[in-house]
Amino acid sequence: MNPVTDMVMDRKIINVTGKRQVTIPLKFYEKLQFGKEVECVLTNGAIVIRPLSTSDDNFTMEILKDLVSQGYNGNELIEKFAEQRQKIKTAIAELIEEADEISEGKRKSATTEEIFGEA
């Protein structure tokens, strides 16, 4: 009994081209509602390809509100927005990497006291 293959709901063997490209089967593509970009994550010896999350809509609005309140507009607003959004993506990627390392025992997690100080 293999815990990984036992949990598989649907499986399909796909080819990898000479340019390292794969085609996502249509039924998977439609079921997961893929858009024009995907997120690719290397975790536990597997590559996970999943739809790029659109849950950052709230972040988008908050970033824009903050930048507008700081007086940015036009092209400057667009440039600052791109900078802030990239910083958030980088920070989230670092948090995910840290969490993966903690779960794999490669890194020690911080204690509550270390995060919030002593009670």
Side-chain angles (χ1 to χ4, degrees):
M1 202 150 103
N2 184 331
V4 174
T5 56
D6 289 346
M7 292 177 21
V8 173
M9 295 174 64
D10 208 348
R11 181 173 185 251
K12 174 126 173 91
I13 304 295
I14 56 178
N15 293 320
V16 179
T17 71
K19 293 183 177 182
R20 300 173 315 280
Q21 297 172 327
V22 297
T23 300
I24 299 169
L26 181 59
K27 66 181 179 179
F28 296 170
Y29 183 89
E30 289 175 344
K31 184 171 185 154
L32 296 175
Q33 300 176 343
F34 279 91
K36 293 193 180 273
E37 293 183 306
V38 299
E39 179 180 25
C40 184
V41 179
L42 181 61
T43 181
N44 296 324
I47 296 173
V48 176
I49 299 172
R50 57 185 166 216
L52 192 60
S53 175
T54 56
S55 64
D56 67 350
D57 288 343
N58 291 336
F59 283 128
T60 298
M61 290 305 294
E62 292 305 316
I63 293 169
L64 285 172
K65 286 178 189 176
D66 183 52
L67 293 172
V68 168
S69 74
Q70 293 178 43
Y72 293 108
N73 58 43
N75 286 338
E76 191 177 32
L77 173 62
I78 293 168
E79 290 170 15
K80 290 292 184 182
F81 173 77
E83 287 173 18
Q84 292 297 321
R85 192 157 185 236
Q86 185 56 50
K87 286 180 182 178
I88 288 173
K89 284 184 176 184
T90 300
I92 290 171
E94 289 172 2
L95 288 171
I96 291 170
E97 182 179 342
E98 181 180 338
D100 286 344
E101 288 176 0
I102 290 168
S103 70
E104 293 168 2
K106 295 179 181 175
R107 180 187 284 200
K108 184 178 178 251
S109 63
T111 66
T112 311
E113 291 79 20
E114 291 171 327
I115 296 171
F116 297 108
E118 292 187 36

